[in-house]
Amino acid sequence: MKFAAFLVLFSFAASGVWADGFSSPAPAPQTQPAAVQSAPASSPGQRRPEAARRPRIGLVLSGGGARGFAHVGVLKVLEEAGVKVDLITATSMGSMVGGGYAEGYSPEEIEKIIKGVNWQKMFAPKPDRAEMNWRRKEDKEHGLSDTELGIGPQGFALPYGIITTQELDLFLSRVNEPASRITDLSRLPIPFAAFGTDLETGRALVLQKDILLSQAMRASMSIPGAFAPAEWKGHLISDGGLVQNLPVEEARKQGADIVIAVNVGTPLSPRSKLNTLAGVMGQMINILTEQNVQKSISELTPRDIFIVPDLEQYSSGDFDKADEIIRAGEEAARKVLPRLRSLAVPRSEFLAWSEQRRSAIEITGRHVLAGVRVEGLKVVNPANVEREIKLKRGDVVTTAQVERAAQRIWQDDDFLSVPYHFEPGPDGTEMLVFEPQEKTWGYSAFRVGGRLQTNFRDDHTFSFMLEHTLGWINAWGGELKTAVQIGEDEGLQLSYYQPLGVASPVFLNPRFSIGREDYDVYEGDIRAGTWQNKQLIGSVELGYELGRYGVATAGLGYTLLKPNRVVGTGERDVRDTRGFGNFVRFKLDRLNSTSFPTAGYKIDALGVRFWDEMGRSGMKTGYELSATGATTAGPWTFAGTVKAGRSPLEGTFKLGGAFNLSGSSYGRYSGDHMEFARLMAYRNLSSRLAQIGAPVWAGVTVEGGRAYNKLDGEHPGWKSAAGVFLGADTWVGPIYLVGGRTFGGDSAIYFMWGHIQ
């Protein structure tokens, strides 16, 4: 699937165009020849006067998202021609390619790095679910969105961007490890400067002094709306393409006599592409970018060389087309190969320079730590972060170990990203510095979620949840959650999570909830009425976190369960239940997704025992057990689920609806006992439906189960069902179109939004 389609989850790449970001529409035809344009050359017969010295060559590389891969092809031809580059100025993707070359990588090595990147993972909005802590996994199960709406003294605030930069930060630190001690980029083997935009003043910022190469690349690539701005020396920095997408002027200031400028920016879109809000907003950005690019072009002289690869059929989001885009850059540069060769130095001189430049990229891969430091935190307790790092003074560590530590910190969902760098220490050691980026919208935030299902006839159900989280109430990481749910099930839930120490796996979790759940009662195949269970539950549990695997808890609580008839006739022997009791819960969860898992497992077991104060039944017990596993073989994924339960209250468990005896009405079968099993087989169709904008899946499901009220003497046989479905994992949650039939019962076609339960 094209990354442009993946990025559609919030907007700007769906049908609009980023001048320097990721987009999906085809660019408008260029008004100049698409392959190459050169600044006017000297007139025939006119000889250029011999210079007293070799002219300094400045390479200028523009931004353009994936279109920037064409820079690699240009570099290949420059090396073939023997052009010795004296300095590089660049923006966004140009800064990634140009910075790598300035650092010492060859064009072939840069190409290998580009092709080895999982770009979809690089720009993933959240960590892999399997590596989250158990509380964030439960949020996913409840269908809560990834996007948070912060609230503080200045009102509501949204995140700066829809994509976290954690994977990007780690990638840039990894590949720029050879330059990890250089904070003056003019001291690289090839002097280098990247460009960013100061969001406060709108001015261009030259990113060269007092900055690491990885930081300069990251800041220059901060696409508005997609990535959070970078911070540097008091500046809030966004993508440099807004003000200097082709920094010719800076190359002159750095001492370039002759400029080789390569423009891969996305041109303006035609009117046919401006029929959406995203398209119009993208065009506005492109207008700003195109204006500064045209200004830079006007600064080129007859001695300069201007290269524009033919990228009309490629968007800035085509990260899966690196081969073709690199080839386009190479073809464009070859069209001016004679002019490039006129700038060449003797081959022996070029090879010596190239060898000297490349000698700088030797990577030992190991670091002796002088210590570990955490910087920049204002809300989160640094001691909590330090406990997660698990590295100390004197350790000899690899880059991979440091990255794993950064990932552990990030996966707790307290930070936007967790970049790191090394600083020189005594006697050849290095200080490892982590700089976790706290959430710009704060730790008081709302999230929404819910579920919806309809059979397009007479069966419609929905629920909507609004949850507020107040995090980091104290230095140990206390967290208060308040959730309100309306719809088919209604209720209010309060939960307070309190670790018993800094980064302690032991915690207390008081909870309180009130709510109601409706369930239907049938006489044969006729719906005879609707009943309602009202619940009030208060409890406190002591828990132990099992790392990233799960949690075990035990608790005491008070429960009031009260059934009432809502509509219908007839009397039923249902009674209130009220009393004190205890419970235990054990949960292991390593599923990699709640929507379409392709690997992992989840086991959830709950046991309850309490004394009925009503005095009719004495001690009552109940349990809920569920287990899910997923594995992938070739293009197909197989996922199985088994569930069972027993409750002292009628109507607690419900079956019916999509994926739960498909074909039947939602909640068609209900009771105090339940057994159920489901097997699904599905495959990803995204490569065939690349323009959909989200991962698309198709599959089949077979199900069997029963739910019944054993207290009423019921003991029915199992029902079986089968179905087919299409699903998409969108930024608002998973959606499904399902066709199913319960054998010996009904059939239906459903639309469903929300996670399968």
Side-chain angles (χ1 to χ4, degrees):
M1 165 183 119
K2 292 196 300 185
F3 182 70
F6 169 75
L7 195 58
V8 74
L9 51 97
F10 192 75
S11 63
F12 292 113
S15 58
V17 182
W18 278 105
D20 189 31
F22 311 107
S23 59
S24 56
Q30 302 210 26
T31 58
Q32 302 174 347
V36 180
Q37 296 94 39
S38 299
S42 302
S43 60
Q46 181 180 3
R47 298 185 60 185
R48 188 179 64 182
E50 291 295 325
R53 59 174 176 79
R54 184 185 70 84
R56 288 174 56 81
I57 308 300
L59 180 62
V60 179
L61 304 179
S62 81
R67 291 160 62 100
F69 294 162
H71 295 316
V72 179
V74 174
L75 289 175
K76 287 184 176 182
V77 177
L78 290 179
E79 292 222 327
E80 178 186 328
V83 177
K84 179 181 175 182
V85 176
D86 296 285
L87 61 97
I88 300 174
T89 60
T91 298
S92 199
M93 185 58 77
S95 71
M96 181 180 287
V97 176
Y101 192 67
E103 183 177 11
Y105 286 106
S106 69
E108 291 74 20
E109 288 169 330
I110 298 173
E111 179 179 12
K112 184 178 179 180
I113 291 171
I114 287 172
K115 292 180 180 178
V117 171
N118 181 339
W119 291 99
Q120 184 166 330
K121 181 181 179 182
M122 176 76 73
F123 301 111
K126 284 289 179 180
D128 290 340
R129 182 185 180 277
E131 301 302 327
M132 294 180 177
N133 64 46
W134 66 274
R135 290 175 294 129
R136 299 292 83 86
K137 290 175 183 176
E138 285 194 346
D139 290 343
K140 288 279 190 180
E141 292 175 6
H142 296 156
L144 292 169
S145 65
D146 289 330
T147 302
E148 296 182 336
L149 177 64
I151 181 170
Q154 297 180 346
F156 291 103
L158 282 167
Y160 278 135
I162 59 175
I163 299 174
T164 62
T165 60
Q166 174 67 6
E167 293 291 344
L168 178 61
D169 287 334
L170 295 184
F171 168 76
L172 293 176
S173 294
R174 186 188 320 128
V175 299
N176 293 312
E177 187 174 354
S180 60
R181 294 191 178 192
I182 298 175
T183 57
D184 181 353
L185 304 186
S186 68
R187 295 179 54 241
L188 291 172
I190 301 176
F192 175 77
F195 265 84
T197 300
D198 189 322
L199 277 181
E200 292 184 275
T201 66
R203 295 178 179 175
L205 289 174
V206 181
L207 307 173
Q208 186 181 61
K209 306 294 184 180
D210 300 319
I211 192 169
L212 295 170
L213 180 57
S214 58
Q215 294 171 332
M217 290 181 179
R218 161 69 178 87
S220 187
M221 296 177 64
S222 301
I223 305 163
F227 301 137
E231 293 190 42
W232 172 68
K233 297 178 69 172
H235 299 284
L236 198 61
I237 307 172
S238 191
D239 194 288
L242 297 175
V243 289
Q244 275 283 12
N245 201 42
L246 190 67
V248 171
E249 182 180 5
E250 183 61 27
R252 302 274 190 223
K253 291 180 180 179
Q254 299 270 342
D257 299 310
I258 297 176
V259 168
I260 302 173
V262 187
N263 183 28
V264 296
T266 306
L268 298 180
S269 296
R271 183 169 181 171
S272 60
K273 299 293 185 179
L274 304 178
N275 51 8
T276 66
L277 175 62
V280 173
M281 294 179 68
Q283 187 80 334
M284 292 170 61
I285 300 295
N286 275 353
I287 290 171
L288 293 174
T289 305
E290 187 65 15
Q291 287 177 345
N292 73 66
V293 167
Q294 290 302 318
K295 179 179 181 298
S296 296
I297 292 173
S298 70
E299 295 166 351
L300 295 173
T301 72
R303 299 182 67 191
D304 301 325
I305 300 175
F306 184 34
I307 302 174
V308 183
D310 184 359
L311 301 173
E312 183 174 352
Q313 60 182 314
Y314 304 109
S315 77
S316 54
D318 282 332
F319 287 85
D320 58 343
K321 297 181 179 179
D323 280 323
E324 300 98 303
I325 296 174
I326 291 172
R327 192 178 306 117
E330 189 173 350
E331 291 171 355
R334 288 194 182 283
K335 292 185 178 181
V336 290
L337 187 55
R339 293 200 64 197
L340 294 175
R341 283 178 173 155
S342 71
L343 304 177
V345 297
R347 196 63 185 170
S348 59
E349 180 182 343
F350 178 82
L351 292 176
W353 169 79
S354 182
E355 181 62 28
Q356 182 181 17
R357 182 180 65 83
R358 286 179 43 72
S359 66
I361 64 168
E362 294 180 4
I363 302 175
T364 63
R366 294 184 176 276
H367 306 266
V368 181
L369 298 185
V372 179
R373 190 169 73 241
V374 178
E375 291 185 346
L377 296 184
K378 299 178 181 178
V379 178
V380 179
N381 186 351
N384 261 51
V385 177
E386 291 165 1
R387 288 285 294 271
E388 285 284 355
I389 294 172
K390 300 178 182 177
L391 301 174
K392 63 184 185 301
R393 180 179 180 179
D395 285 349
V396 180
V397 301
T398 64
T399 301
Q401 288 175 296
V402 177
E403 287 190 3
R404 284 196 294 270
Q407 288 289 67
R408 282 195 301 270
I409 301 167
W410 180 58
Q411 286 155 356
D412 281 335
D413 201 34
D414 285 327
F415 306 108
L416 294 172
S417 66
V418 186
Y420 70 89
H421 67 272
F422 291 97
E423 294 179 356
D427 302 322
T429 62
E430 295 173 282
M431 177 65 69
L432 175 58
V433 181
F434 289 92
E435 300 177 283
Q437 308 298 301
E438 293 184 328
K439 295 180 178 180
T440 55
W441 58 95
Y443 293 88
S444 173
F446 289 96
R447 285 192 291 177
V448 298
R451 301 182 73 252
L452 180 148
Q453 185 176 143
T454 178
N455 66 0
F456 301 101
R457 299 196 309 265
D458 56 354
D459 187 25
H460 320 285
T461 181
F462 85 97
S463 62
F464 175 80
M465 177 181 288
L466 176 66
E467 181 185 271
H468 176 260
T469 301
L470 181 60
W472 287 99
I473 295 175
N474 51 49
W476 287 357
E479 181 179 271
L480 175 65
K481 284 188 175 183
T482 306
V484 178
Q485 182 169 313
I486 60 173
E488 175 210 359
D489 300 330
E490 297 182 348
L492 169 67
Q493 302 175 25
L494 298 175
S495 175
Y496 181 67
Y497 164 80
Q498 179 59 65
L500 300 183
V502 175
S504 172
V506 182
F507 64 90
L508 282 175
N509 193 187
R511 298 174 182 259
F512 172 79
S513 67
I514 56 174
R516 68 163 186 82
E517 297 181 3
D518 293 346
Y519 67 96
D520 294 326
V521 176
Y522 284 77
E523 294 180 0
D525 290 328
I526 306 300
R527 185 181 300 175
T530 298
W531 285 68
Q532 183 180 95
N533 287 331
K534 294 182 178 179
Q535 305 180 23
L536 184 151
I537 301 174
S539 66
V540 60
E541 57 188 328
L542 178 67
Y544 186 85
E545 297 180 0
L546 306 172
R548 306 290 174 176
Y549 284 83
V551 63
T553 65
L556 302 171
Y558 179 83
T559 301
L560 172 61
L561 307 174
K562 185 178 181 64
N564 292 290
R565 182 173 58 224
V566 179
V567 295
T569 59
E571 296 297 327
R572 305 181 68 236
D573 185 18
V574 291
R575 304 177 182 181
D576 296 352
T577 298
R578 181 173 64 211
F580 290 90
N582 53 53
F583 60 90
V584 293
R585 186 173 189 177
F586 177 75
K587 189 171 186 177
L588 292 177
D589 189 347
R590 296 293 290 173
L591 280 183
N592 64 352
S593 171
T594 51
S595 304
F596 299 93
T598 57
Y601 59 88
K602 182 176 72 172
I603 300 171
D604 193 353
L606 171 68
V608 180
R609 184 180 67 174
F610 65 94
W611 185 263
D612 183 3
E613 291 183 345
M614 305 304 289
R616 287 187 285 270
S617 303
M619 188 68 68
K620 291 191 174 185
T621 60
Y623 70 87
E624 291 184 41
L625 173 66
S626 68
T628 297
T631 187
T632 298
W636 287 93
T637 293
F638 301 90
T641 298
V642 294
K643 296 190 290 186
R646 172 182 174 182
S647 170
L649 188 66
E650 293 188 1
T652 299
F653 306 109
K654 291 180 282 191
L655 293 176
F659 301 107
N660 287 282
L661 297 184
S662 299
S664 301
S665 299
Y666 181 85
R668 165 65 179 82
Y669 307 97
S670 62
D672 51 55
H673 279 58
M674 178 270 294
E675 296 98 28
F676 177 77
R678 175 177 59 234
L679 177 63
M680 302 170 65
Y682 45 90
R683 63 178 297 171
N684 195 325
L685 301 181
S686 300
S687 60
R688 302 183 181 186
L689 301 170
Q691 301 301 326
I692 293 297
V696 178
W697 302 78
V700 296
T701 173
V702 292
E703 305 133 22
R706 59 181 178 175
Y708 57 97
N709 288 310
K710 190 173 183 180
L711 296 176
D712 288 347
E714 298 178 8
H715 200 80
W718 279 55
K719 295 289 184 179
S720 58
V724 296
F725 65 90
L726 281 173
D729 200 2
T730 75
W731 71 275
V732 295
I735 58 174
Y736 304 87
L737 185 64
V738 186
R741 178 172 179 79
T742 298
F743 300 108
D746 296 330
S747 60
I749 296 176
Y750 307 91
F751 171 80
M752 190 177 91
W753 164 60
H755 297 292
I756 299 173
Q757 296 183 335

